Amino acid sequence: VQLVESGGDLVQPGGSLRLSCAASGFTFSLFVMSWYRQAPGKERELVATITSGSGSSTSYADSVKGRFTISRDNVKNTVYLQMNSLKPEDTAVYYCKAQRAVGYWGQGTQVTVSS
């Protein structure tokens, strides 16, 4: 089982980034997929979730609603997080998680929002 995040970068406030999480070693379409983040000195927090299968349902933390969009491609076995209107407080390591009976985590990708 492997989850590999990518797309993290240094970006100015107001900018955009798209994170990707490529999955392998399990049946991706059967798993609920989520993005979490962890800022220095803070607990890891849930950012966004998308249901299994077609991903017909999504949910977001209040802090990112209207700015972030989670999506999935079951052919490419990849989940995405489109992040717009980024703020300095979005700075964190972002992790993807696959959840069914068990949970799998990726290694994380750093997002830094700073001028």
Side-chain angles (χ1 to χ4, degrees):
V1 172
Q2 197 170 20
L3 294 169
V4 180
E5 299 98 333
S6 61
D9 205 346
L10 170 64
V11 63
Q12 292 188 343
S16 297
L17 282 176
R18 188 176 82 154
L19 305 183
S20 299
C21 172
S24 61
F26 61 98
T27 307
F28 177 77
S29 62
L30 297 180
F31 281 68
V32 173
M33 298 300 299
S34 298
W35 285 96
Y36 287 73
R37 67 186 181 187
Q38 188 166 20
K42 295 188 176 181
E43 293 187 354
R44 192 171 295 189
E45 64 172 347
L46 177 62
V47 174
T49 298
I50 187 166
T51 51
S52 59
S54 63
S56 58
S57 181
T58 58
S59 60
Y60 299 91
D62 286 344
S63 58
V64 306
K65 277 182 183 176
R67 300 189 297 122
F68 291 11
T69 303
I70 188 171
S71 61
R72 66 188 299 155
D73 184 331
N74 292 336
V75 174
K76 295 182 178 179
N77 288 352
T78 301
V79 62
Y80 304 98
L81 187 67
Q82 178 67 43
M83 306 187 295
N84 299 327
S85 303
L86 282 161
K87 304 175 181 180
E89 51 263 44
D90 295 318
T91 295
V93 178
Y94 283 72
Y95 300 88
C96 69
K97 182 182 181 183
Q99 183 70 50
R100 201 181 181 200
V102 295
Y104 305 123
W105 290 93
Q107 85 290 346
T109 186
Q110 176 70 49
V111 172
T112 303
V113 185
S114 175
S115 55

